[in-house]
Amino acid sequence: MRIALIDYGAGNLHSAGKALMRALDEIGVTGHVVLGADPDEVARADRIVLPGDGAFRDCRDHLAAIDGLEEALHAQVRVRGRPFLGICVGMQLLADLGEERGETAGLGWIPGRVVALDPQSPGLVSRHLKVPHMGWNTLEARRAHPVLDGLTLGPAGLHAYFLHSFHLLPAHATDLLATADYGGPVSAIVGRDTIVGTQFHPEKSQRLGLKLLANFLKWAP
């Protein structure tokens, strides 16, 4: 299996690459991770992973600055149906629009907007929870999907690691696979067609993250 891990200057590539290799071992599949942004390498990939750290607008600009990359991604994912995973801002870029630092057009692969978190702490204490949302949270499934197979979710389930100030609000409820609770529901996993995205970092999420990556690599949509 050939996995393209997109290096466009905006992601935690070392940790993501190691986690993907561990997931390959977990499912007993021979493969390798190709790190870079060469459109020809993207065209040869069986799986594509787009990480992202930082601001939506900056990541969008970095992606657009690489000649031929967006076209190769569109051809592989939207036309040929290669499985795609977006991580953190890489997931947010799937939306139509991001509101961070003004409105910026996204890839438009999952209809919706990326909006600022505005969490309210529960109980009687009248204060906002801290933003960015940083730390560990359990997940609540919203609908079944192969990437969720075998994951222990719910209040007593496994934890995922988050670090973000914005999240993607899908226009269609069917595109929301799982949420986290941070003073209200936060979009944790989205999915449509051969595309999935996680707001949390699976490469830092220990058992849950490794299982999700393994499910992604086994997924045959």
Side-chain angles (χ1 to χ4, degrees):
M1 181 181 292
R2 192 179 188 90
I3 305 166
L5 178 60
I6 306 300
D7 180 5
Y8 61 116
N12 184 2
L13 299 168
H14 179 69
S15 295
K18 286 181 64 177
L20 287 164
M21 290 303 299
R22 282 191 62 197
L24 282 170
D25 289 342
E26 189 79 8
I27 63 175
V29 171
T30 300
H32 60 284
V33 176
V34 179
L35 176 63
D38 183 346
D40 291 336
E41 290 290 355
V42 172
R44 289 191 286 268
D46 302 301
R47 298 285 190 279
I48 298 168
V49 179
L50 181 72
D53 287 330
F56 185 102
R57 176 171 288 181
D58 293 341
C59 290
R60 187 70 181 90
D61 289 345
H62 288 315
L63 193 65
I66 300 173
D67 288 344
L69 179 57
E70 283 191 45
E71 292 81 1
L73 289 171
H74 178 86
Q76 280 293 82
V77 180
R78 305 298 287 153
V79 178
R80 299 188 183 95
R82 297 290 188 270
F84 173 96
L85 171 65
I87 297 173
C88 197
V89 183
M91 171 259 227
Q92 295 178 7
L93 290 175
L94 299 171
D96 294 318
L97 194 73
E99 297 184 357
E100 189 173 8
R101 299 183 185 173
E103 293 188 347
T104 304
L107 293 170
W109 293 359
I110 292 185
R113 299 171 70 93
V114 177
V115 303
L117 292 174
D118 185 22
Q120 301 288 330
S121 60
L124 301 177
V125 180
S126 178
R127 63 179 177 83
H128 285 281
L129 294 173
K130 291 182 179 180
V131 175
H133 168 209
M134 180 171 64
W136 297 87
N137 287 81
T138 57
L139 307 179
E140 191 71 36
R142 291 300 183 97
R143 73 171 178 90
H145 191 280
V147 299
L148 302 181
D149 287 351
L151 291 179
T152 306
L153 304 180
L158 298 173
H159 287 70
Y161 180 77
F162 289 82
L163 175 56
H164 65 120
S165 300
F166 287 74
H167 69 138
L168 196 168
L169 293 182
H172 305 291
T174 53
D175 292 338
L176 185 60
L177 305 185
T179 57
D181 181 10
Y182 191 66
V186 172
S187 299
I189 308 176
V190 297
R192 167 180 279 233
D193 301 328
T194 64
I195 301 162
V196 291
T198 65
Q199 181 58 68
F200 60 89
H201 289 268
E203 76 278 10
K204 298 180 180 179
S205 297
Q206 300 177 358
R207 288 171 57 201
L208 182 148
L210 181 61
K211 178 62 175 174
L212 183 141
L213 291 175
N215 284 345
F216 170 69
L217 296 179
K218 289 189 297 183
W219 183 31

